[in-house]
Amino acid sequence: MRKYVSNIIRLLLLLSIILLWNACSSTKFVPENEYLLERVSITADTKGFDVAALEPYIRQKANSKWFSAFKIPLGVYSAAGRDSTKWINRMLQRIGEEPVLYDTLQARLSCSDLQQAMQNLGYMHATVDLKTHTKGKKIRVNYRLSPGEPFFINRVTYDIADPQIKQILDQDKGRRLQTGDPFTVPALNNERKRITQLLTDSGYYRFHKDFIQYTADSVRGSRDIDVTLHLLRYRANSNAPETDHPRYRIRHINYLSNDSSKVPLRESVLVNNTTLEPGAYYSSSNLQKTYNNFGRLGIVRFTNIGFTELADSNAVDSARVGEPLNRELDCHIQLSTNKPNSISFQPEGTNTAGDLGAAASLTYQNRNLFRGSELLSIELRAAFEAITGLEGYENSNYEEYGIEARLEFPRFMAPFLSKEFKRKSTATSQLAVSYNLQNRPEFHRRVFSTSWRYRWTQPSKHMSYGFDVLDLNYVNMPWISQKFKEDYLDDVTNRNAILRYNYEDLFIMKIGFAFSYNDGVDAVKTNVETAGNILNGLSHMFNFKQNEDGQYTLFNIAYAQYVKFDVDYTHLFRFDANNSLALHAGFGIAYPYGNSKILPFEKRYFSGGANSVRGWSVRELGPGKFKGTDGNIDFINQTGDMKLDLNAEYRTKLFWKFQGALFIDAGNIWTLRDYPDQPGGQFKFKEFYKQIAVSYGLGLRLNFDYFILRMDGGMKAINPVYDTSDEHWAIFHPKWGRDFTFHFSVGLPF
C-alpha cells in the first residue's frame, strides 16, 4: 500500500512540474494585440483604508491559483495542443482554465464601481486611478484608490406624515441615525430596514421600504450633511388617493391540508407552533417563526401561509373604540405532510485491520406517533466478521446484534417551564433505549443504555445547545476466555490495571451540557459532563456496599465517577473564492475521582488518525512518550486523560469536484495519574512541550457538497517516542516506511 501511494505521489509531483512549465508558456492561446491578465491588485493612498472589502467590485480577476501561488488550471489548459479534433486536447481544455484576457471596458466599469462603492461608504470625493504594466503578452493591473475624507451626518430630521406611525416611532427605543454617524448608504439602508421591520411587526401588513425616502443637504466646503427621512403616506396604486397606512389584526387562523380534508396534527400542536395569534396585530417576524416552527416538524413536507383581507374590515371594533381604524386578515396555514411510516434496509461491508465481514440494519420510523410529529425510530442491527491471526481461541468469529429505540418530541418535554417559553423555543426532547450484544473470541460483552436529552438552537445567533439530563450505561461481561485472562488479566507479571478495569462490569450514570457556535468563520464547540456524583451522594447516605477495592457498588457493580471537559475552536481565513486557511485548536481533560481511579475506556482520549495528528494512525500516539510493546492491547494503553490538538490547514480548489490541502498538525495525549502500565505518559508541566508530536502532509478531497471524501497523507516531523535522533527529528531524516501514514475518511477534519 505504501509503495502504491508513493508511486501516486511521485506521479503527481511529476505532473505538477509539467504543468508549472506549461504555465510559463500560458500565452500561446492569447491572440495578437491582446494581453493575458497576469495579476490584479488594489491599493489605497490612505493609510488604514480597507481595500480588501472592495475587491468584489473588480469585474475581472486573473486566473485562479492553487494554494494562492501556482496557476495549475491555466497550465493544464496551456498543455493542450491547437488541434481541437484530438480528444486529449479537448479534455485538457475542459478540465483546465482558459486564459483571462484583459478587457479595457471591464476595467473602466470596475473603476466606476469602485468609485461608487467608496461614495456609498461616505467618501464623496473618492477617485480611482487605473495603472497597467505590460511585459510581452502579459499585463498587470493596479486600481489605485484615493478615498479622500469621509462625510458625516450633522442633523437628522424624521418627516412622518402618518400620525399613528409617528406615535409608534416616537415610542421606539431602537438606535436611530444620529449626529456624528458616518454618512453611508449602508447606514441609511439599515435605518430603512429597521423601521420597515418595526412597522411590519406592528400590524402594517402592506408597508414596504419604498415608502421611506431620504433627502440630503450639505454646505459647500463642509463634510457635514443634514439628512431628512421622509415616511410617505399610503397609496394602494398610482391612481389611488393618499391615506394613512392601514393597520391589520388577525381575525381567524385556519389550518388546511393538501393531502386530506383534515390536518393529521393535534390542535394543540398546531396552535403551539403558530406564533401569529387571533386578535393580535399582524407580525412579519411571527410569520417567519411560524414557517420555521412547522418546518422543524418531521411530518410536515412544506408549509404555505396566505392571508385574506376582509372586505368590510373598515368598521371600528367596538371593543377598541377610540383607536384608529383597523383592518382584519384571515390567516390560512396550508400544510403538506409526509407519509408517517417508513421502513429502510441498509447492508454494508466491513474491513477491520484486514478482517472482512458484513453488517445490516433494518429501521422502522413513525413520524407522527401521537399526532404531534413525534418521531419513533426502531433500528435492528446485526454484524459478522471473520477474525484472523488469533491463536489459542476456540472461536474465531465476531458477532454483534443490537436494537435501539428512540422517541423524539419536537418541543421541550419538561415540568416547570411556561407554555410561552415552550412555544418560543426551537427544541427537541429525546428518549433513547438500546441493547447491544457482542461476542468476540476473547470475550462476550452486553451493553444496555438509556438516555433523556434536550437539544435546542438559536439560529439568529448561530448557537445550539444540548443537555443530557440522564444517561445510563450498563456494561456486562458475562464471559471472558481463559486464554485472554491468563495472558492479560490474571498473570501478575503482565497485569494491566487499565486493561483489567475495562473488562469488568461497569455502571455509568452521567449528565452533560454542550454548546456550539458557528457563523461560517469562527466555530466553537464545548462539552462538559460528570458521572457518579448523585450515586456517590446516595452511597454515603444509604451506606451502599463496598467491594474489595473500597469502591461503592450498585447492584454489585462499581459505578464510574469522573468529570470531563472538552473545547474546540476553529477560525477560517478566506483569501478568495478558491483559497482559505483553517486554524484549529482542541483541548480536553477528564479526571476520575471518588469511586474511580481510572476513566472508562469510552471516555478516554486518543491521538492520531484522520482528525488529529495525521502523521500517526488512530490510537498510535501517546500518552506522552509512552511506547507500546504489545500490539494486541496497545489500543487500551495508548489512551489518556488529557488531549491537545493544534492544526493548520491551507485549502484550495483544484478542478471539478477536487480540492487540495496542505496541513501541519501537532498534539498528544497524557494521563493525569502515573499509571505503571503507561510509563512516560503522565502530564508534567516542565516536560509536556517536549512530548508534542508534529506532522505535516498533503490532502486530496472530493467535494460533492452534501458529503466530502477525504484522503490525507501525513509525515512525522517530530516524534516524541524515539530510540535515535533520526527518529526524533524525522523532518530532517524522513523515512517513508517509518514516517508516512495514509488516511481515508468522510468529511473535513475540523
Side-chain angles (χ1 to χ4, degrees):
M1 178 64 181
R2 291 181 184 271
K3 184 177 180 180
Y4 174 76
V5 175
S6 175
N7 291 335
I8 291 293
I9 291 181
R10 289 170 182 168
L11 180 62
L12 291 174
L13 289 174
L14 178 61
L15 180 62
S16 297
I17 293 172
I18 294 173
L19 295 177
L20 283 172
W21 180 83
N22 279 289
C24 297
S25 60
S26 55
T27 59
K28 77 174 186 179
F29 286 103
V30 177
E32 290 297 326
N33 301 320
E34 293 199 53
Y35 296 95
L36 172 70
L37 186 57
E38 183 181 25
R39 189 175 68 186
V40 178
S41 60
I42 179 171
T43 57
D45 61 8
T46 302
K47 188 176 181 180
F49 186 78
D50 186 10
V51 295
L54 298 183
E55 286 184 358
Y57 295 96
I58 298 177
R59 300 195 175 205
Q60 263 199 316
K61 307 291 175 63
N63 286 96
S64 62
K65 298 178 181 179
W66 287 9
F67 303 107
S68 298
F70 309 109
K71 294 185 179 181
I72 302 297
L74 176 60
V76 172
Y77 191 96
S78 300
R82 298 182 182 275
D83 187 355
S84 61
T85 62
K86 295 183 178 180
W87 70 269
I88 185 64
N89 294 334
R90 295 196 305 272
M91 185 190 70
L92 290 173
Q93 291 188 356
R94 185 166 57 251
I95 66 175
E97 187 177 271
E98 188 176 358
V100 177
L101 303 181
Y102 175 65
D103 189 327
T104 56
L105 174 61
Q106 294 297 315
R108 289 197 300 271
L109 291 175
S110 296
C111 290
S112 178
D113 291 345
L114 288 167
Q115 184 177 22
Q116 184 64 53
M118 288 189 288
Q119 290 174 350
N120 290 343
L121 293 174
Y123 298 90
M124 307 307 294
H125 296 156
T127 60
V128 180
D129 185 21
L130 176 65
K131 294 182 179 294
T132 60
H133 175 73
T134 58
K135 185 177 181 181
K137 299 184 72 174
K138 297 181 180 180
I139 188 169
R140 295 182 178 183
V141 177
N142 174 254
Y143 295 92
R144 182 69 171 176
L145 309 182
S146 300
E149 295 294 331
F151 282 58
F152 295 90
I153 295 175
N154 179 45
R155 184 173 63 230
V156 183
T157 304
Y158 284 78
D159 176 24
I160 312 299
D162 189 310
Q164 189 176 19
I165 290 181
K166 185 177 186 305
Q167 183 179 0
I168 293 173
L169 295 181
D170 287 343
Q171 297 172 354
D172 174 39
K173 303 297 183 182
R175 189 189 186 281
R176 299 186 172 195
L177 294 173
Q178 296 179 359
T179 299
D181 286 350
F183 178 74
T184 67
V185 170
L188 301 180
N189 286 337
N190 288 338
E191 179 67 353
R192 294 176 75 190
K193 292 177 183 178
R194 187 187 70 84
I195 293 176
T196 300
Q197 187 68 57
L198 174 65
L199 295 180
T200 55
D201 283 346
S202 301
Y204 291 93
Y205 170 65
R206 297 195 174 279
F207 191 88
H208 51 80
K209 64 179 183 179
D210 290 339
F211 285 112
I212 299 175
Q213 298 179 359
Y214 288 100
T215 56
D217 185 24
S218 62
V219 178
R220 182 180 294 275
S222 172
R223 291 188 289 112
D224 293 332
I225 297 181
D226 293 337
V227 176
T228 302
L229 182 148
H230 305 277
L231 197 149
L232 309 178
R233 299 186 73 196
Y234 177 74
R235 294 181 68 176
N237 54 65
S238 58
N239 297 323
E242 290 186 347
T243 64
D244 289 344
H245 286 267
R247 197 177 189 187
Y248 294 84
R249 289 183 184 271
I250 304 296
R251 189 183 70 159
H252 298 308
I253 297 179
N254 305 312
Y255 299 95
L256 308 171
S257 174
N258 277 358
D259 309 312
S260 66
S261 58
K262 186 177 181 180
V263 178
L265 291 167
R266 299 194 309 273
E267 183 178 355
S268 60
V269 175
L270 296 172
V271 172
N272 288 337
N273 284 283
T274 305
T275 53
L276 296 165
E277 296 183 15
Y281 283 118
Y282 164 83
S283 169
S284 60
S285 293
N286 286 341
L287 173 63
Q288 186 58 52
K289 290 177 183 177
T290 302
Y291 270 113
N292 294 341
N293 289 346
F294 281 108
R296 292 177 52 249
L297 302 183
I299 190 63
V300 177
R301 187 162 67 243
F302 63 82
T303 308
N304 183 39
I305 303 178
F307 297 91
T308 301
E309 183 177 349
L310 273 67
D312 58 348
S313 61
N314 287 321
V316 179
D317 190 328
S318 60
R320 296 187 292 273
V321 174
E323 289 189 8
L325 293 179
N326 291 282
R327 300 183 182 181
E328 292 183 316
L329 296 171
D330 279 346
C331 176
H332 310 287
I333 300 178
Q334 192 172 52
L335 303 175
S336 178
T337 54
N338 294 306
K339 292 182 179 180
N341 299 297
S342 66
I343 296 178
S344 62
F345 176 75
Q346 181 176 352
E348 60 183 90
T350 62
N351 185 344
T352 305
D355 296 331
L356 301 179
S361 61
L362 182 68
T363 305
Y364 164 77
Q365 285 190 337
N366 186 317
R367 299 183 181 88
N368 199 29
L369 185 63
F370 304 120
R371 296 183 63 244
S373 195
E374 299 86 0
L375 174 63
L376 171 66
S377 176
I378 300 175
E379 179 180 353
L380 302 175
R381 177 179 168 80
F384 175 85
E385 193 171 89
I387 298 179
T388 59
L390 288 178
E391 298 181 0
Y393 292 90
E394 295 181 4
N395 189 5
S396 60
N397 296 326
Y398 167 75
E399 297 178 2
E400 178 183 352
Y401 306 95
I403 180 172
E404 181 181 16
R406 295 193 310 273
L407 179 58
E408 187 173 290
F409 300 87
R411 54 192 173 277
F412 268 118
M413 298 290 291
F416 313 119
L417 296 178
S418 68
K419 185 178 293 186
E420 188 65 19
F421 176 80
K422 292 181 180 180
R423 285 188 63 185
K424 291 182 178 180
S425 60
T426 55
T428 59
S429 307
Q430 185 189 88
L431 172 66
V433 181
S434 66
Y435 179 75
N436 185 265
L437 179 151
Q438 303 171 10
N439 289 343
R440 287 186 58 89
E442 309 97 321
F443 57 83
H444 292 175
R445 188 196 301 266
R446 310 289 184 260
V447 181
F448 173 79
S449 302
T450 184
S451 62
W452 179 255
R453 301 185 175 102
Y454 296 112
R455 300 288 183 267
W456 68 100
T457 61
Q458 289 182 288
S460 61
K461 297 182 179 180
H462 313 289
M463 297 179 182
S464 60
Y465 307 85
F467 180 34
D468 294 351
V469 180
L470 185 65
D471 193 326
L472 300 178
N473 290 273
Y474 168 57
V475 181
N476 174 242
M477 305 290 296
W479 176 83
I480 300 177
S481 73
Q482 190 62 35
K483 179 173 177 55
F484 191 79
K485 286 182 179 180
E486 293 173 357
D487 289 347
Y488 299 110
L489 303 182
D490 296 339
D491 188 349
V492 176
T493 61
N494 195 33
R495 183 171 295 175
N496 187 310
I498 298 175
L499 184 68
R500 190 173 67 250
Y501 176 73
N502 285 283
Y503 287 91
E504 297 174 349
D505 292 349
L506 183 64
F507 187 82
I508 302 175
M509 177 179 173
K510 75 177 183 72
I511 60 173
F513 180 80
F515 165 80
S516 65
Y517 170 88
N518 191 338
D519 64 358
V521 176
D522 293 288
V524 180
K525 291 190 293 185
T526 62
N527 183 76
V528 60
E529 66 179 63
T530 180
N533 294 330
I534 296 176
L535 292 177
N536 194 256
L538 295 174
S539 299
H540 289 86
M541 186 180 300
F542 296 103
N543 196 25
F544 284 10
K545 290 183 180 180
Q546 292 179 281
N547 61 20
E548 58 185 12
D549 295 325
Q551 295 173 295
Y552 287 103
T553 63
L554 181 67
F555 308 123
N556 294 321
I557 303 171
Y559 55 84
Q561 189 173 8
Y562 64 88
V563 62
K564 185 178 182 181
F565 172 77
D566 299 277
V567 60
D568 275 274
Y569 173 71
T570 302
H571 182 79
L572 190 65
F573 295 93
R574 295 187 185 275
F575 303 122
D576 54 46
N578 297 323
N579 295 277
S580 61
L581 173 66
L583 301 180
H584 168 260
F587 174 76
I589 186 169
Y591 183 69
Y593 63 96
N595 213 48
S596 296
K597 294 182 180 179
I598 301 173
L599 278 173
F601 177 72
E602 292 79 7
K603 302 300 177 182
R604 294 173 70 83
Y605 297 103
F606 61 86
S607 192
N611 299 307
S612 183
V613 187
R614 283 166 278 187
W616 282 259
S617 296
V618 63
R619 290 191 175 92
E620 195 181 69
L621 173 62
K625 58 182 180 179
F626 168 78
K627 185 174 184 178
T629 56
D630 188 336
N632 293 319
I633 62 172
D634 282 342
F635 74 96
I636 289 284
N637 285 330
Q638 296 201 268
T639 58
D641 308 320
M642 185 169 71
K643 180 177 182 177
L644 176 66
D645 271 331
L646 301 170
N647 314 85
E649 182 172 280
Y650 195 108
R651 300 166 180 170
T652 190
K653 182 178 179 181
L654 302 179
F655 57 89
W656 191 52
K657 301 291 184 179
F658 287 97
Q659 298 175 349
L662 292 170
F663 59 82
I664 299 175
D665 303 323
N668 205 335
I669 55 173
W670 293 269
T671 62
L672 297 182
R673 289 190 170 100
D674 186 12
Y675 297 111
D677 305 301
Q678 296 174 302
Q682 186 181 22
F683 177 85
K684 295 180 180 180
F685 190 78
K686 294 183 179 180
E687 297 183 10
F688 86 94
Y689 64 92
K690 302 176 184 177
Q691 300 167 358
I692 294 178
V694 181
S695 68
Y696 60 95
L698 286 168
L700 181 67
R701 291 91 168 87
L702 191 55
N703 189 346
F704 292 102
D705 295 330
Y706 48 91
F707 76 95
I708 297 174
L709 298 178
R710 175 163 58 95
M711 292 163 281
D712 289 321
M715 287 287 289
K716 297 179 179 65
I718 302 176
N719 191 344
V721 182
Y722 56 91
D723 295 321
T724 65
S725 176
D726 288 1
E727 194 175 2
H728 183 201
W729 300 101
I731 188 172
F732 302 120
H733 311 279
K735 189 176 180 181
W736 189 263
R738 179 194 65 194
D739 300 327
F740 178 79
T741 304
F742 177 76
H743 304 278
F744 178 81
S745 56
V746 178
L748 293 174
F750 44 85

